[in-house]
Amino acid sequence: MPQLNPAVMWSCGPLNGTGGAEDQPLCQHLHLVLSVFSLLYLVAGVPVGLGYNALLVLVNLHDQSSMTMPDVYFVNMAVAGLVLSALAPVHLLGPTASGWALWGFGSEAHVTLLVLFNVSSLVTMYSTALLSLDCYIERALPRTYMSSVYNTRHVCGFVWGGALLTSFSSLLFYVCSHVAARIVECSKMRDAQAADAIMVFIGYVVPALAVFYALALISRIRKADTPLDQDAGRPDPSVHRLLVATVCTQFGLWTPHYLTLLGHTLLALRGKPVDRHHLGILLFAKDVARFLAFSSSSVVPLLYRYINRNFPSKLRRLIKKMHCGRQSCSPDQAGVQQVMA
């Protein structure tokens, strides 16, 4: 199988001379549309992602006493979204994704950016999966505090550590693919497709199974309401809407990326060379999938902003404190009314 050459991304080079004259205009139009959408995302989506993710982190860290279990997971997804938003211009304009690259860098920088992308991907997917499981626990056992903020913070620490360890094992395959001729220990790890297979299984299959299992359990509980549902400890109904919207968004935008990794791995297992026409299709699909994956860093914080009921009040308190500075502020009338209630 020929290696995927990043230099031909977003170009119709692999399709030349194979698909006929009628395929060339279609290819050029598709790549032009993708280029336009990518530039629009870099101009509008990246600032929105950076701004709203940073705002989500600042608002929740400023008022940690009012943070709930879902807030902790969304803070972790926001941190991963900040990393993705910062990496988006490099991936969408650099040599790893386009034939009209504005700059170039060596293999070491490419591997570093790839590891950061994989870590952010793993944190995003596992935060979504664990959010689903904890929402089920909180729904089924509302007064046990098994899904407390304290436990969730420790779980998220393990998520980041596990993402780093998984990306490090994946990194070994990429490193050995460059130095296999000199190191005997790497002789059996020459293909970067093995790293893609690890990412597909650990980064997508496992969290997808956990999410489907959790949503199935939550749906069963919602169909069989009990007197506990009238209890004051019942989770906020908006949390369920936010959970469903987040799960659909994350898996909808990240599934194409993992499907392209799976397709790359399956083609490598065939052991047969791939014709230039199918190679061009795979390259174009990889560009589209990566664009969708990066766009998740802008969409999810917007969902949190408009579905979470507590976020506007937290944001107003943060703005008021920033406006007052070191001067003493008058008591918040809304806060006084809530305390009296």
Side-chain angles (χ1 to χ4, degrees):
M1 174 183 174
Q3 295 293 327
L4 298 183
N5 184 8
V8 298
M9 293 287 187
W10 293 10
S11 65
C12 298
L15 302 178
N16 288 335
T18 58
E22 65 277 4
D23 291 339
Q24 193 68 14
L26 177 62
C27 171
Q28 293 176 350
H29 284 92
L30 290 176
H31 286 287
L32 178 62
V33 171
L34 178 60
S35 302
V36 170
F37 275 100
S38 297
L39 289 177
L40 289 176
Y41 170 72
L42 292 175
V43 173
V46 170
V48 169
L50 290 173
Y52 271 95
N53 281 309
L55 193 62
L56 193 156
V57 174
L58 290 175
V59 167
N60 284 283
L61 293 183
H62 168 259
D63 196 2
Q64 298 186 31
S65 60
S66 64
M67 286 182 66
T68 61
M69 174 269 298
D71 294 333
V72 179
Y73 285 118
F74 276 97
V75 167
N76 278 270
M77 284 188 278
V79 174
L82 287 173
V83 177
L84 289 174
S85 298
L87 294 177
V90 180
H91 281 278
L92 298 180
L93 296 179
T96 59
S98 66
W100 48 283
L102 299 183
W103 57 76
F105 45 76
S107 58
E108 293 81 4
H110 169 65
V111 171
T112 302
L113 294 173
L114 185 62
V115 169
L116 292 175
F117 178 82
N118 288 338
V119 169
S120 302
S121 169
L122 290 171
V123 171
T124 298
M125 301 303 289
Y126 273 90
S127 295
T128 304
L130 293 173
L131 172 64
S132 304
L133 293 172
D134 276 357
C135 282
Y136 161 70
I137 294 174
E138 189 175 16
R139 172 92 181 176
L141 305 170
R143 291 189 176 276
T144 59
Y145 303 103
M146 294 179 61
S147 57
S148 63
V149 175
Y150 177 80
N151 294 334
T152 304
R153 288 173 178 172
H154 287 77
V155 169
C156 290
F158 282 106
V159 168
W160 281 97
L164 290 172
L165 290 176
T166 304
S167 298
F168 178 76
S169 63
S170 178
L171 171 63
L172 292 178
F173 289 92
Y174 288 99
V175 173
C176 288
S177 65
H178 291 85
V179 300
R182 293 175 291 175
I183 300 180
V184 180
E185 289 78 3
C186 292
S187 59
K188 296 183 180 180
M189 296 191 299
R190 294 180 179 178
D191 295 327
Q193 289 78 16
D196 294 338
I198 292 175
M199 291 299 301
V200 170
F201 179 75
I202 299 179
Y204 183 79
V205 175
V206 173
L209 292 176
V211 165
F212 292 149
Y213 179 67
L215 292 181
L217 293 176
I218 293 175
S219 64
R220 290 178 60 184
I221 292 180
R222 290 178 66 85
K223 291 179 181 178
D225 289 337
T226 65
L228 286 176
D229 293 326
Q230 310 301 327
D231 189 19
R234 181 186 178 185
D236 189 346
S238 65
V239 174
H240 180 75
R241 295 194 299 270
L242 181 60
L243 170 64
V244 173
T246 302
V247 168
C248 295
T249 300
Q250 294 286 29
F251 279 86
L253 295 176
W254 280 97
T255 295
H257 169 69
Y258 285 102
L259 288 179
T260 56
L261 294 182
L262 180 61
H264 189 195
T265 303
L266 294 178
L267 289 176
L269 292 177
R270 290 176 50 189
K272 299 179 181 179
V274 180
D275 59 84
R276 296 178 63 84
H277 179 73
H278 290 90
L279 179 60
I281 295 176
L282 181 60
L283 292 173
F284 179 76
K286 188 175 182 180
D287 285 337
V288 175
R290 183 167 293 184
F291 165 75
L292 293 176
F294 279 117
S295 64
S296 67
S297 63
S298 302
V299 178
V300 172
L302 291 177
L303 291 176
Y304 181 86
R305 163 65 178 84
Y306 290 104
I307 298 180
N308 191 311
R309 294 180 178 179
N310 299 323
F311 184 82
S313 60
K314 291 182 180 180
L315 180 60
R316 285 193 295 268
R317 287 196 296 267
L318 176 61
I319 295 176
K320 183 176 181 180
K321 184 176 181 180
M322 295 176 60
H323 177 72
C324 294
R326 297 182 178 180
Q327 299 177 358
S328 59
C329 297
S330 59
D332 189 356
Q333 188 65 23
V336 172
Q337 293 177 358
Q338 291 179 0
V339 172
M340 292 177 62

